[in-house]
Amino acid sequence: MPAPGELTFIAPRGAAKPPRHLADLTPAERREAVAALGEKPFRAAQLSRHYFGRFTDDPAAWTDIPAAARERLAQALLPRLMTTVRHISCDAGATRKTLWRLHDGTLVESVLMRYPDRVTMCVSSQAGCGMNCPFCATGQAGLDRNLSTAEIVHQIVDGMRALRDGEVPGGPARLSNIVFMGMGEPLANYRRVVGAIRRLTDEGPDGVGLSQRGITVSTVGLVPAIHRLAGEGLSCRLAVSLHAPDDELRDTLVPVNTRWKVREVLDAAWEYAERSGRRISIEYALIRDINDQAWRADRLARLVRGRGAHVNLIPLNPTPGSKWTASRPEDQRAFVAALESHGVPVTVRDTRGQEIEGACGQLAAAER
Ligand code: SAH
């Protein structure tokens, strides 16, 4: 039986297994792997320090490891996982999208967004997505395959390296936030996503040493997986992509709703909030004349008020060929006002990256 959160709704197309990488392994597994190569177990910590701490997978830079051992360790534990197809920037370079090609030709995206006070990276957890939400570009293309833990981690490690080395306009910087809002449904690739969170938040030399509080996992609402996540003892933020307060509409906008209803999804989210100590973020893409009526705002407010949740409204980023578009400004204002009248904290997300096909999955779709 699949573990909760490992449910797949469409059979993955690509089945080629990514090569094993240091970031797939726990610290104990890394020591075993190094020993199996005939090396001293402490080489595992040296490699970890190079990769997670200095962002370097170039054996020439590992001067604390005998030259004869470097190539062997590199081949076995730090294979090249992905290559950059291209970077596309906008907002005077403050937004940079990377299109990656994985070892089997699969394409994924990540986006780096620079703000005056923070730097956020949006990463992919799967190549494609099986959730089939009709307004989302990734949803239209279906699921290629799950990313490995290391394929998730490397998007961030490479982004941190680029930031440190001043490759992103605005001078050298540190990463402050990670959002699992790129391609894929993170909770449908549960084990590898949680593994990635551990690698990213374990202290050095075992991991990158980022704060769990700066990580947001965004989900369509896979209820058993939310319960499981609540038991991990993490302090990451959970974002729930609600998009409609009523089951009738949500069944069409987020098809997995036919399996787990609005009430069940929110109950699981409140449990997560209680156990993690973090406020839930409710994501709501405003789609003109579809889900942006004031009565729906009122209904949404009644569902979430008093729970400490925050509503994040996202003006729809229309995907090519879609009949849907963003709400009229006056409807958006009325929606915000209705939520505020109930005392529900609400923000309208800035819509960065539209001109670089920043909407989830658009860049990879254009490449195909
Ligand atoms: N599968 C996860 C995470 C990836 S999508 C999830 O659904 O939460 C990240 C967010 O972007 C989700 O809230 C998703 O509904 C939203 N999104 C996808 N396509 C969009 C579009 N065209 N315009 C606005 N928001 C979109």
Side-chain angles (χ1 to χ4, degrees):
M1 228 185 76
E6 300 287 336
L7 299 166
T8 321
F9 294 82
I10 296 177
R13 278 197 290 266
K17 233 178 142 173
R20 181 187 67 168
H21 186 279
L22 192 77
D24 290 314
L25 308 178
T26 63
E29 289 168 342
R30 288 173 223 163
R31 283 191 293 276
E32 280 166 34
V34 165
L37 294 168
E39 293 291 336
K40 295 272 190 300
F42 70 81
R43 300 263 179 247
Q46 289 179 312
L47 287 178
S48 299
R49 203 169 283 117
H50 286 302
Y51 183 70
F52 296 115
R54 304 193 186 107
F55 318 135
T56 165
D57 50 12
D58 172 14
W62 305 343
T63 50
D64 54 347
I65 300 176
R70 287 181 208 162
E71 206 50 53
R72 191 155 21 107
L73 287 167
Q75 269 180 21
L77 285 164
L78 286 149
R80 171 64 33 102
L81 292 172
M82 50 183 85
T83 51
T84 306
V85 177
R86 73 173 83 95
H87 298 294
I88 302 184
S89 299
C90 64
D91 307 319
T95 304
R96 184 177 91 145
K97 183 154 183 161
T98 305
L99 180 67
W100 298 101
R101 190 186 308 281
L102 308 181
H103 78 104
D104 56 356
T106 305
L107 299 172
V108 294
E109 313 165 346
S110 42
V111 186
L112 217 152
M113 288 159 285
R114 210 165 168 165
Y115 301 87
D117 58 330
R118 71 200 142 93
V119 184
T120 299
M121 263 198 92
C122 177
V123 295
S124 296
S125 57
Q126 298 181 305
C129 185
M131 298 298 119
N132 211 22
C133 302
F135 56 89
C136 171
T138 307
Q140 302 323 292
L143 178 66
D144 285 318
R145 65 169 171 85
N146 283 324
L147 298 190
S148 67
T149 293
E151 286 171 331
I152 298 169
V153 169
H154 192 73
Q155 297 169 56
I156 294 141
V157 165
D158 189 74
M160 293 182 77
R161 185 201 52 72
L163 277 170
R164 180 199 60 193
D165 295 348
E167 286 175 18
V168 186
R174 302 246 326 151
L175 186 68
S176 32
N177 298 84
I178 295 168
V179 295
F180 280 89
M181 294 189 183
M183 300 173 88
E185 166 51 43
L187 295 187
N189 187 15
Y190 186 92
R191 203 163 38 80
R192 298 177 193 87
V193 165
V194 171
I197 293 172
R198 303 263 180 230
R199 297 303 108 74
L200 293 166
T201 60
D202 278 353
E203 290 300 324
D206 293 343
V208 180
L210 293 169
S211 158
Q212 287 183 4
R213 300 182 66 82
I215 298 180
T216 299
V217 176
S218 180
T219 181
V220 289
L222 304 185
V223 167
I226 296 174
H227 288 305
R228 188 176 169 194
L229 193 68
E232 299 280 353
L234 297 171
S235 55
C236 299
R237 188 187 285 279
L238 183 71
V240 174
S241 297
L242 202 65
H243 304 315
D246 51 311
D247 286 318
E248 193 184 352
L249 178 58
R250 194 168 191 266
D251 281 351
T252 68
L253 294 181
V254 185
V256 76
N257 194 70
T258 55
R259 193 130 160 198
W260 294 293
K261 298 297 175 193
V262 169
R263 181 160 297 279
E264 286 175 273
V265 171
L266 290 177
D267 282 345
W270 310 144
E271 186 209 332
Y272 182 86
E274 193 172 315
R275 300 195 53 188
S276 64
R278 301 300 307 277
R279 291 170 187 275
I280 299 297
S281 195
I282 302 288
E283 308 293 297
Y284 200 106
L286 282 175
I287 313 175
R288 183 182 296 187
D289 297 331
I290 300 291
N291 67 350
D292 62 354
Q293 305 81 357
W295 72 265
R296 281 204 161 89
D298 190 68
R299 191 136 160 202
L300 173 63
R302 288 172 199 280
L303 287 174
V304 306
R305 67 181 174 189
R307 299 286 190 168
H310 182 108
V311 175
N312 204 357
L313 298 174
I314 319 165
L316 184 80
N317 195 346
T319 59
S322 167
K323 55 184 185 298
W324 289 333
T325 188
S327 299
R328 294 173 200 89
E330 62 269 29
D331 293 337
Q332 180 175 308
R333 277 195 298 273
F335 204 93
V336 170
L339 287 166
E340 284 176 339
S341 73
H342 286 275
V344 173
V346 51
T347 45
V348 179
R349 185 185 297 170
D350 84 4
T351 49
R352 279 210 185 182
Q354 290 207 352
E355 60 272 48
I356 56 168
E357 302 180 283
C360 185
Q362 286 185 9
L363 187 59
E367 184 73 12
R368 270 191 221 103

